Amino acid sequence: QVQLVESGGGLVQAGGSLRLSCAASGTIFSVNSMGWYRQAPGKQRELVASIYSGGTTNYAGSVKGRFTVSRDNANLTVYLQMNSLKPEDTAVYYCNADLRRTYYDLSRDYWGQGTQVTVSS
């Protein structure tokens, strides 16, 4: 069993900041990448940012320069520091991890339950 537990969402005014955290737990052999996706009402889920085990990061164009993804490999935790938030950042944010549960397993995606981020204008 693998669990991804998110925290840190909430309501913030435009221009403000929030920090999301996501901790992975359970039977985990290795983690390839961890990251964050978001889904706004009526829209498809989209990648926000991801980080690989070696530290390589990937950002959506709309958040570059405002959001920073980081990772604590020892504690299997990924963070998303969100600055200069805009109303269009309002969405449910989902933690994602591409990982192998055991040596014998192929890697696959796991998801958190989602945390709401609301940015008021």
Side-chain angles (χ1 to χ4, degrees):
Q1 194 90 359
V2 173
Q3 282 191 315
L4 300 180
V5 179
E6 301 136 335
S7 60
L11 173 65
V12 65
Q13 287 189 330
S17 298
L18 282 174
R19 189 188 194 215
L20 306 182
S21 300
C22 171
S25 63
T27 302
I28 298 172
F29 173 73
S30 66
V31 180
N32 181 28
S33 67
M34 298 185 77
W36 297 90
Y37 287 69
R38 67 186 180 188
Q39 187 166 19
K43 294 190 177 181
Q44 287 191 330
R45 190 174 297 191
E46 62 175 0
L47 173 70
V48 177
S50 62
I51 182 166
Y52 289 81
S53 57
T56 300
T57 57
N58 184 33
Y59 293 94
S62 60
V63 307
K64 274 183 181 177
R66 300 188 298 123
F67 291 9
T68 302
V69 64
S70 60
R71 176 171 163 174
D72 180 346
N73 288 330
N75 292 304
L76 301 181
T77 301
V78 64
Y79 305 94
L80 185 68
Q81 178 66 44
M82 304 184 292
N83 298 328
S84 302
L85 282 159
K86 304 175 181 179
E88 50 264 44
D89 294 317
T90 295
V92 177
Y93 283 69
Y94 295 92
C95 177
N96 168 269
D98 176 37
L99 60 85
R100 293 168 65 185
R101 289 191 60 204
T102 72
Y103 174 81
Y104 302 101
D105 290 326
L106 298 175
S107 64
R108 53 154 284 194
D109 282 325
Y110 290 83
W111 295 91
Q113 78 284 359
T115 184
Q116 178 70 46
V117 171
T118 303
V119 185
S120 62
S121 56

